[in-house]
Amino acid sequence: NAGVTQTPKFQVLKTGQSMTLQCAQDMNHEYMSWYRQDPGMGLRLIHYSVGAGITDQGEVPNGYNVSRSTTEDFPLRLLSAAPSQTSVYFCASSYPSSTGLYTEAFFGQGTRLTVV
Amino acid sequence: KQEVTQIPAALSVPEGENLVLNCSFTDSAIYNLQWFRQDPGKGLTSLLLIQSSQREQTSGRLNASLDKSSGRSTLYIAASQPGDSATYLCAVRTGANNLFFGTGTRLTVIP
Protein backbone atom coordinates (compact mmCIF):
# COMPACT_ATOMS: atom_id res chain seq x y z
CA ASN A 1 0.00 0.00 0.00
CA ALA A 2 1.43 3.38 -1.03
CA GLY A 3 -0.48 5.51 1.51
CA VAL A 4 0.55 9.18 1.19
CA THR A 5 3.24 9.89 -1.41
CA GLN A 6 5.14 13.17 -1.64
CA THR A 7 7.46 14.30 -4.40
CA PRO A 8 10.15 15.47 -4.58
CA LYS A 9 11.97 14.37 -1.42
CA PHE A 10 14.55 17.14 -1.68
CA GLN A 11 14.56 20.48 -3.50
CA VAL A 12 16.79 23.53 -3.63
CA LEU A 13 15.29 26.75 -4.96
CA LYS A 14 16.62 30.20 -5.56
CA THR A 15 14.81 33.14 -4.03
CA GLY A 16 11.93 34.19 -6.25
CA GLN A 17 11.49 30.86 -8.01
CA SER A 18 8.20 29.02 -7.92
CA MET A 19 7.52 25.33 -7.60
CA THR A 20 4.86 22.77 -6.77
CA LEU A 21 5.15 20.12 -4.10
CA GLN A 22 3.13 17.08 -5.01
CA CYS A 23 1.02 14.97 -2.65
CA ALA A 24 -1.08 11.96 -3.58
CA GLN A 25 -2.97 9.45 -1.45
CA ASP A 26 -4.58 6.19 -2.52
CA MET A 27 -6.81 5.62 0.52
CA ASN A 28 -9.80 7.65 -0.76
CA HIS A 29 -9.46 10.01 2.20
CA GLU A 30 -11.60 13.14 2.14
CA TYR A 31 -9.35 15.24 4.34
CA MET A 32 -5.89 16.34 3.23
CA SER A 33 -3.56 18.94 4.66
CA TRP A 34 -0.10 20.45 4.39
CA TYR A 35 2.19 21.14 7.34
CA ARG A 36 5.63 22.60 7.67
CA GLN A 37 8.09 21.48 10.31
CA ASP A 38 10.69 23.89 11.62
CA PRO A 39 13.23 23.28 14.41
CA GLY A 40 11.81 24.09 17.84
CA MET A 41 8.36 24.99 16.50
CA GLY A 42 6.61 21.71 15.84
CA LEU A 43 4.45 21.13 12.80
CA ARG A 44 2.20 23.98 11.69
CA LEU A 45 -0.79 23.80 9.37
CA ILE A 46 -0.44 25.65 6.05
CA HIS A 47 -3.59 24.74 4.09
CA TYR A 48 -6.17 22.00 4.24
CA SER A 49 -9.01 20.49 2.24
CA VAL A 50 -12.12 18.61 3.36
CA GLY A 51 -12.90 17.35 -0.13
CA ALA A 52 -12.42 17.90 -3.84
CA GLY A 53 -12.97 21.54 -4.73
CA ILE A 54 -12.82 22.74 -1.10
CA THR A 55 -9.73 24.29 0.46
CA ASP A 56 -9.05 26.61 3.36
CA GLN A 57 -6.18 28.35 5.10
CA GLY A 58 -4.39 27.08 8.14
CA GLU A 59 -2.09 28.83 10.59
CA VAL A 60 0.70 29.86 8.17
CA PRO A 61 -0.79 30.18 4.64
CA ASN A 62 1.09 33.23 3.32
CA GLY A 63 3.20 32.51 0.25
CA TYR A 64 1.46 29.23 -0.54
CA ASN A 65 -1.45 28.21 -2.75
CA VAL A 66 -3.35 24.93 -2.95
CA SER A 67 -6.04 23.38 -5.08
CA ARG A 68 -7.95 20.09 -4.85
CA SER A 69 -9.35 18.98 -8.18
CA THR A 70 -9.44 15.28 -7.27
CA THR A 71 -9.78 13.29 -4.06
CA GLU A 72 -6.33 11.79 -4.56
CA ASP A 73 -4.15 14.85 -5.17
CA PHE A 74 -3.42 17.96 -3.14
CA PRO A 75 -0.48 19.98 -4.56
CA LEU A 76 1.14 22.84 -2.68
CA ARG A 77 2.46 25.75 -4.74
CA LEU A 78 5.13 28.16 -3.64
CA LEU A 79 4.50 31.34 -5.57
CA SER A 80 7.81 33.18 -5.06
CA ALA A 81 10.18 31.28 -2.81
CA ALA A 82 11.79 33.06 0.12
CA PRO A 83 14.51 31.86 2.53
CA SER A 84 11.88 31.86 5.30
CA GLN A 85 10.19 29.00 3.45
CA THR A 86 13.17 26.73 4.01
CA SER A 87 11.56 23.87 5.92
CA VAL A 88 10.40 20.28 5.78
CA TYR A 89 6.91 19.97 4.32
CA PHE A 90 4.53 17.16 5.18
CA CYS A 91 1.28 16.16 3.57
CA ALA A 92 -1.32 14.29 5.62
CA SER A 93 -4.67 12.62 5.01
CA SER A 94 -7.52 11.30 7.14
CA TYR A 95 -11.28 10.81 6.98
CA PRO A 96 -14.34 11.01 9.23
CA SER A 97 -15.48 7.54 10.24
CA SER A 98 -19.09 6.38 9.98
CA THR A 99 -19.46 6.92 13.71
CA GLY A 100 -18.55 10.60 13.34
CA LEU A 101 -15.18 10.18 15.00
CA TYR A 102 -12.04 11.33 13.26
CA THR A 103 -9.55 8.70 12.24
CA GLU A 104 -5.81 8.76 12.63
CA ALA A 105 -3.86 11.03 10.31
CA PHE A 106 -1.46 9.44 7.83
CA PHE A 107 1.63 11.36 6.80
CA GLY A 108 3.90 11.30 3.79
CA GLN A 109 7.68 11.06 4.03
CA GLY A 110 8.16 14.78 3.63
CA THR A 111 9.84 17.19 1.21
CA ARG A 112 12.97 18.93 2.45
CA LEU A 113 13.08 22.36 0.81
CA THR A 114 15.98 24.79 0.90
CA VAL A 115 15.62 28.30 -0.49
CA VAL A 116 18.91 30.11 -1.12
CA LYS B 1 -5.21 28.94 20.54
CA GLN B 2 -4.38 25.38 21.46
CA GLU B 3 -0.84 24.88 22.71
CA VAL B 4 0.80 21.49 23.10
CA THR B 5 3.86 20.95 25.28
CA GLN B 6 6.07 17.90 25.53
CA ILE B 7 8.44 17.36 28.41
CA PRO B 8 11.24 16.45 28.47
CA ALA B 9 12.65 17.66 25.16
CA ALA B 10 15.27 14.89 25.24
CA LEU B 11 15.67 11.71 27.21
CA SER B 12 18.40 9.06 27.39
CA VAL B 13 17.77 5.72 29.06
CA PRO B 14 19.60 2.38 29.23
CA GLU B 15 18.16 -0.51 27.30
CA GLY B 16 15.45 -2.42 29.13
CA GLU B 17 14.18 0.50 31.16
CA ASN B 18 10.51 1.45 31.26
CA LEU B 19 9.86 5.10 30.47
CA VAL B 20 7.11 7.71 30.28
CA LEU B 21 6.80 10.59 27.84
CA ASN B 22 4.52 13.48 28.70
CA CYS B 23 2.23 15.64 26.62
CA SER B 24 0.05 18.48 27.87
CA PHE B 25 -2.45 20.68 26.04
CA THR B 26 -4.18 23.90 27.03
CA ASP B 27 -7.69 23.44 25.62
CA SER B 28 -9.58 20.30 26.59
CA ALA B 29 -12.02 20.65 23.66
CA ILE B 30 -10.33 18.02 21.52
CA TYR B 31 -11.65 15.22 19.33
CA ASN B 32 -8.67 12.92 19.77
CA LEU B 33 -4.97 12.73 20.55
CA GLN B 34 -2.43 10.92 18.44
CA TRP B 35 1.13 9.82 19.24
CA PHE B 36 3.67 9.64 16.42
CA ARG B 37 7.20 8.45 15.99
CA GLN B 38 9.63 10.29 13.72
CA ASP B 39 13.02 8.91 12.75
CA PRO B 40 15.71 11.37 11.58
CA GLY B 41 14.98 12.65 8.09
CA LYS B 42 11.80 10.60 7.85
CA GLY B 43 8.07 11.12 8.01
CA LEU B 44 5.68 10.60 10.90
CA THR B 45 4.54 7.11 11.80
CA SER B 46 1.33 6.83 13.77
CA LEU B 47 1.69 4.86 17.00
CA LEU B 48 -1.57 5.26 18.89
CA LEU B 49 -4.82 7.20 18.55
CA ILE B 50 -6.98 7.95 21.58
CA GLN B 51 -10.48 9.32 21.01
CA SER B 52 -11.65 11.98 23.45
CA SER B 53 -14.05 9.53 25.10
CA GLN B 54 -11.32 6.98 25.76
CA ARG B 55 -8.87 6.77 28.65
CA GLU B 56 -6.10 4.69 27.13
CA GLN B 57 -4.91 2.66 24.16
CA THR B 58 -2.33 -0.10 23.97
CA SER B 59 -0.21 -1.49 21.18
CA GLY B 60 2.47 -4.01 22.04
CA ARG B 61 4.95 -2.39 24.45
CA LEU B 62 3.26 1.00 24.10
CA ASN B 63 0.46 2.34 26.27
CA ALA B 64 -0.98 5.81 25.91
CA SER B 65 -3.34 7.42 28.40
CA LEU B 66 -5.52 10.50 28.12
CA ASP B 67 -6.92 12.72 30.84
CA LYS B 68 -8.85 15.27 28.83
CA SER B 69 -10.09 17.30 31.78
CA SER B 70 -6.55 17.99 33.01
CA GLY B 71 -5.11 18.35 29.50
CA ARG B 72 -2.57 15.54 29.83
CA SER B 73 -1.48 12.44 28.00
CA THR B 74 1.36 10.02 28.65
CA LEU B 75 3.08 7.49 26.43
CA TYR B 76 4.48 4.56 28.37
CA ILE B 77 7.15 2.43 26.68
CA ALA B 78 7.94 -0.87 28.37
CA ALA B 79 11.29 -2.62 28.19
CA SER B 80 12.87 -0.04 25.91
CA GLN B 81 15.11 -1.16 23.03
CA PRO B 82 17.72 0.69 20.95
CA GLY B 83 15.28 0.52 18.02
CA ASP B 84 12.92 2.73 20.02
CA SER B 85 15.35 5.63 19.61
CA ALA B 86 13.47 8.36 17.73
CA THR B 87 11.56 11.57 18.30
CA TYR B 88 8.06 11.10 19.69
CA LEU B 89 5.40 13.66 18.86
CA CYS B 90 1.92 14.10 20.24
CA ALA B 91 -0.83 15.94 18.43
CA VAL B 92 -4.37 16.92 19.41
CA ARG B 93 -7.17 17.23 16.88
CA THR B 94 -9.43 20.23 17.40
CA GLY B 95 -11.43 20.17 14.17
CA ALA B 96 -12.04 18.54 10.85
CA ASN B 97 -8.57 19.07 9.60
CA ASN B 98 -6.41 20.64 12.25
CA LEU B 99 -3.81 18.90 14.37
CA PHE B 100 -1.82 20.85 16.93
CA PHE B 101 1.60 19.35 17.54
CA GLY B 102 4.07 19.44 20.36
CA THR B 103 7.76 19.92 19.58
CA GLY B 104 8.55 16.34 20.52
CA THR B 105 10.71 14.31 22.88
CA ARG B 106 13.94 12.95 21.42
CA LEU B 107 14.50 9.51 22.93
CA THR B 108 17.84 7.70 22.94
CA VAL B 109 17.98 4.13 24.23
CA ILE B 110 21.54 3.17 25.07
CA PRO B 111 22.54 -0.49 24.44
Side-chain angles (χ1 to χ4, degrees):
Chain A
N1 292 335
V4 179
T5 303
Q6 291 183 236
T7 57
K9 288 185 170 53
F10 301 93
Q11 184 70 49
V12 178
L13 287 180
K14 293 182 179 178
T15 298
Q17 287 184 318
S18 63
M19 78 159 295
T20 299
L21 280 63
Q22 302 291 344
C23 176
Q25 52 92 9
D26 61 358
M27 298 172 284
N28 202 32
H29 285 176
E30 294 177 47
Y31 298 160
M32 296 186 74
S33 52
W34 278 100
Y35 292 84
R36 59 179 288 173
Q37 184 177 36
D38 301 293
M41 300 190 71
L43 280 81
R44 293 178 292 168
L45 181 67
I46 304 172
H47 284 285
Y48 66 94
S49 168
V50 297
I54 305 170
T55 63
D56 207 344
Q57 297 180 351
E59 183 184 357
V60 288
N62 292 340
Y64 308 95
N65 272 356
V66 292
S67 60
R68 183 102 179 267
S69 56
T70 67
T71 299
E72 295 77 21
D73 300 300
F74 191 43
L76 178 72
R77 297 182 186 85
L78 278 69
L79 308 174
S80 178
S84 62
Q85 294 179 303
T86 294
S87 187
V88 182
Y89 292 85
F90 288 101
C91 179
S93 74
S94 62
Y95 68 96
S97 72
S98 58
T99 61
L101 299 175
Y102 294 105
T103 66
E104 63 184 320
F106 295 85
F107 280 75
Q109 291 298 298
T111 295
R112 188 173 298 273
L113 176 68
T114 302
V115 182
V116 298
Chain B
K1 178 190 166 186
Q2 178 76 263
E3 292 185 3
V4 180
T5 303
Q6 291 186 246
I7 295 174
L11 179 66
S12 290
V13 299
E15 181 178 1
E17 191 164 297
N18 303 326
L19 60 103
V20 174
L21 306 181
N22 297 294
C23 173
S24 62
F25 47 96
T26 55
D27 188 344
S28 62
I30 66 171
Y31 288 98
N32 60 43
L33 183 145
Q34 195 168 352
W35 282 94
F36 295 89
R37 169 188 172 131
Q38 185 176 28
D39 293 289
K42 302 294 185 182
L44 280 67
T45 301
S46 179
L47 297 174
L48 289 165
L49 173 73
I50 310 177
Q51 300 292 349
S52 63
S53 59
Q54 297 174 324
R55 298 285 294 185
E56 65 178 345
Q57 284 287 332
T58 298
S59 176
R61 294 182 294 107
L62 305 179
N63 177 278
S65 67
L66 174 64
D67 184 341
K68 199 175 75 161
S69 61
S70 68
R72 295 174 188 266
S73 176
T74 61
L75 179 66
Y76 174 83
I77 302 177
S80 58
Q81 304 171 357
D84 294 332
S85 297
T87 296
Y88 291 80
L89 300 168
C90 73
V92 296
R93 182 182 289 275
T94 61
N97 217 24
N98 202 358
L99 290 172
F100 284 93
F101 283 84
T103 52
T105 294
R106 188 173 67 252
L107 173 66
T108 303
V109 180
I110 304 166

